[in-house]
Amino acid sequence: MDTRLMRALILGLLAASGSAVAQLPPAGAIVCDTPVYQVDPDGLARARQALDTVRAAPGPHDLALAAAQADLAFATARQSGPQPQRDANRKAALDLAERAGATWNAAPASAALAQEILRRGRTARSAAHCPLALNLLESALAVADKTGGANDPVSLSVARELMLLATAMGDDPTVNALAPRLFAALDADPAPFDGINYNAYLAATDHYYRSEDHERAEALVNRLIDKAKASGADALKLRRLDFERASIYYAQGRYREAEALAALADRPQAKPDGLRADLARVEEDMAVQVRSGRLQAALATGEAQLPRLEAGRAASAAALQAAEADWEAAKKEGKRDAMAAARTRYATARRDGTIWQLGLAGMESYVGEVQHALGRLDLALPLYEKALDHYPAAGGANVYDIERVRADMALVYRARGDTARALALQQQVKQALLPLLGARHPDVLEAEAQIAQLSNPTPEPAPAPATPPKRKK
């Protein structure tokens, strides 16, 4: 099986499920597609006024100026408005952050300054303004490195957080620069299985795996396994590490060793409670099957879920309709207790409906990608179309999931020779992702490359990729 395709499917499935095996909060918790906006012209005006005040005589090392620029950057990025205005705000915020970074870099370095910039980066990341957060964390790392060197605890703390953010954004150049640093830091790390530390090492492992640097990926996993056994780490962490090592063995063609480890990674676990957790378990199972080259098994797993998810979606829609009617009736009666109970039922029904809707759309896209990987384009395309139809109708749909499906559909149309449809879809992908990710992001560059090829076809164009490309959220 094409290893590029294997990576594409496994990354999509693990990113969507949040990886129940790994309990990997960074990829699931760092959300970059739904920034927090607010209508706060007064707050924006106050930030501008503060900047004007300190501009009087800033000097080359004026930390007050940098702080005011960073405050205005965050206020600008968060300001709500029409999409073109938000795009302009994002660019203005990044420009302000660049200016603040230049001042910080010129100032005397200190651990306190690095931690202050780190705090600002975390604030931007928590509000899902990831490009701004990335800029700030890069400034924090530069200051921390000047203060204590690459192995200083503050530097490593910033590097781990930057690694997780860059991984969530799909910023491969940044990840590529940070992975060797984390690789070198592992042996001396007194707490490698603490939340952020552990997840940063897993991100580095995944980077080496995706880069086909299997030697480093295996060395890092083996060192983590040794430390896990020595420290008595919990079974879920060991299971995830077995899963990672098995994937590396499969990629190297070491099938006998891989099958032995896959059997350990597949050992029965307690069934999680709740629909979200159950869907995560199914997606995890598909990810294991794809990573071990068992596409037919992954297809069977996914197809078995589609009728269940469709039935759940229909039932949840009926429950929502009934809950809405009860809520309207309670409002007319005006009884406070009845209104509170009806409102709770309505909110619960809406939440459950969203989970079923997104679960169905996600599973349709995953099964479509497996069919695509098997070369069954006529079976993949209807599944992509259904997923694309279902995603926008569900509150909380992830824009990256939607655009991944749209890009995969474009590949199908291109393979069929329908360049007009393929071009229109890739243009939609670029239009949606460029404001969120910036011009250097791999997904944006992939869309631009496809657009260039589709816009200027040669007399005998090269065949389109037969499988979905590697994508990273």
Side-chain angles (χ1 to χ4, degrees):
M1 184 182 122
D2 184 344
T3 57
R4 187 174 69 101
L5 167 63
M6 187 187 298
R7 290 197 304 276
L9 291 176
I10 190 71
L11 290 172
L13 286 164
L14 285 179
S17 70
S19 185
V21 170
Q23 294 183 319
L24 190 63
I30 297 178
V31 179
C32 296
D33 62 303
T34 54
V36 176
Y37 295 108
Q38 61 183 2
V39 179
D40 186 15
D42 291 340
L44 192 62
R46 287 193 299 271
R48 286 174 176 160
Q49 184 177 8
L51 179 58
D52 289 340
T53 299
V54 298
R55 271 178 172 160
H61 297 161
D62 194 335
L63 296 181
L65 174 62
Q69 289 170 329
D71 287 342
L72 181 56
F74 186 57
T76 301
R78 280 170 58 91
Q79 192 66 25
S80 186
Q83 186 63 50
Q85 183 60 52
R86 294 204 300 266
D87 294 343
N89 288 344
R90 173 180 170 274
K91 292 178 181 177
L94 290 174
D95 180 63
L96 284 163
E98 289 283 354
R99 291 187 225 167
T103 301
W104 286 324
N105 190 55
S110 69
L113 178 58
Q115 290 170 335
E116 170 62 17
I117 306 170
L118 172 61
R119 181 192 64 77
R120 293 177 179 278
R122 286 170 173 166
T123 300
R125 182 200 64 202
S126 298
H129 290 280
C130 292
L132 178 58
L134 185 76
N135 188 301
L136 292 167
L137 289 178
E138 287 175 337
S139 292
L141 185 61
V143 172
D145 283 349
K146 286 169 63 178
T147 302
N151 294 322
D152 179 76
V154 176
S155 291
L156 289 174
S157 177
V158 178
R160 292 185 186 104
E161 298 218 23
L162 185 57
M163 181 71 168
L164 296 178
L165 179 60
T167 299
M169 294 176 66
D171 186 338
D172 285 342
T174 300
V175 171
N176 187 54
L178 290 169
R181 174 184 287 212
L182 295 182
F183 188 101
L186 175 57
D187 284 343
D189 192 339
F193 297 100
D194 286 356
I196 288 178
N197 298 9
Y198 174 61
N199 291 313
Y201 292 129
L202 288 179
T205 301
D206 185 65
H207 163 71
Y208 286 130
Y209 173 83
R210 290 186 297 113
S211 302
E212 299 185 17
D213 188 347
H214 300 131
E215 182 177 349
R216 285 193 183 183
E218 182 181 354
L220 186 50
V221 167
N222 286 342
R223 286 158 67 183
L224 282 168
I225 289 173
D226 290 342
K227 280 182 168 282
K229 291 179 178 178
S231 64
D234 65 64
L236 278 175
K237 286 186 171 67
L238 280 169
R239 185 181 180 220
R240 168 61 187 264
L241 294 172
D242 284 339
F243 173 71
E244 290 291 340
R245 188 161 59 171
S247 302
I248 295 164
Y249 287 169
Y250 276 117
Q252 294 173 317
R254 297 160 64 180
Y255 299 114
R256 182 173 297 180
E257 295 169 272
E259 289 294 341
L261 284 171
L264 293 174
D266 279 334
R267 61 183 177 269
Q269 300 289 313
K271 184 176 179 179
D273 295 326
L275 177 59
R276 284 186 190 274
D278 189 47
L279 289 174
R281 179 186 58 80
V282 172
E283 290 157 4
E284 174 202 327
D285 289 344
M286 291 181 69
V288 172
Q289 290 159 348
V290 168
R291 226 171 191 184
S292 62
R294 294 173 283 157
L295 284 182
Q296 291 290 352
L299 180 63
T301 299
E303 286 185 327
Q305 294 298 314
L306 290 176
R308 171 207 176 200
L309 290 167
E310 183 59 65
R313 185 178 75 101
S316 67
L320 177 59
Q321 187 176 13
E324 187 173 12
D326 289 345
W327 168 232
E328 293 299 330
K331 285 194 291 185
K332 289 179 181 179
E333 291 181 6
K335 296 180 179 179
R336 181 167 304 199
D337 290 345
M339 287 173 61
R343 182 171 56 188
T344 299
R345 288 194 298 272
Y346 177 58
T348 300
R350 284 190 62 182
R351 181 202 64 202
D352 291 347
T354 296
I355 296 172
W356 282 109
Q357 182 92 14
L358 290 175
L360 176 62
M363 192 57 64
E364 287 167 340
S365 72
Y366 307 148
V367 175
E369 285 192 339
V370 177
Q371 294 284 25
H372 196 160
L374 291 167
R376 301 168 180 171
L377 303 187
D378 291 341
L379 296 177
L381 185 58
L383 287 161
Y384 288 155
E385 290 171 340
K386 288 180 180 179
L388 203 59
D389 183 57
H390 286 149
Y391 267 129
N398 188 320
V399 68
Y400 302 126
D401 291 336
I402 294 170
E403 298 312 319
R404 188 187 77 244
V405 174
R406 194 168 276 133
D408 289 344
M409 287 178 65
L411 294 180
V412 173
Y413 282 124
R414 185 180 175 192
R416 287 177 158 189
D418 192 341
T419 56
R421 284 192 183 182
L423 178 60
L425 287 165
Q426 293 289 5
Q427 288 170 335
Q428 286 180 274
V429 172
K430 179 183 175 183
Q431 184 178 11
L433 295 184
L434 181 60
L436 295 170
L437 303 176
R440 294 186 304 164
H441 191 278
D443 287 358
V444 175
L445 294 175
E446 171 69 22
E448 288 179 340
Q450 291 290 328
I451 289 169
Q453 294 171 22
L454 291 163
S455 300
N456 301 289
T458 59
E460 294 183 3
T467 60
K470 176 180 72 176
R471 294 186 181 278
K472 193 71 172 168
K473 287 188 181 180

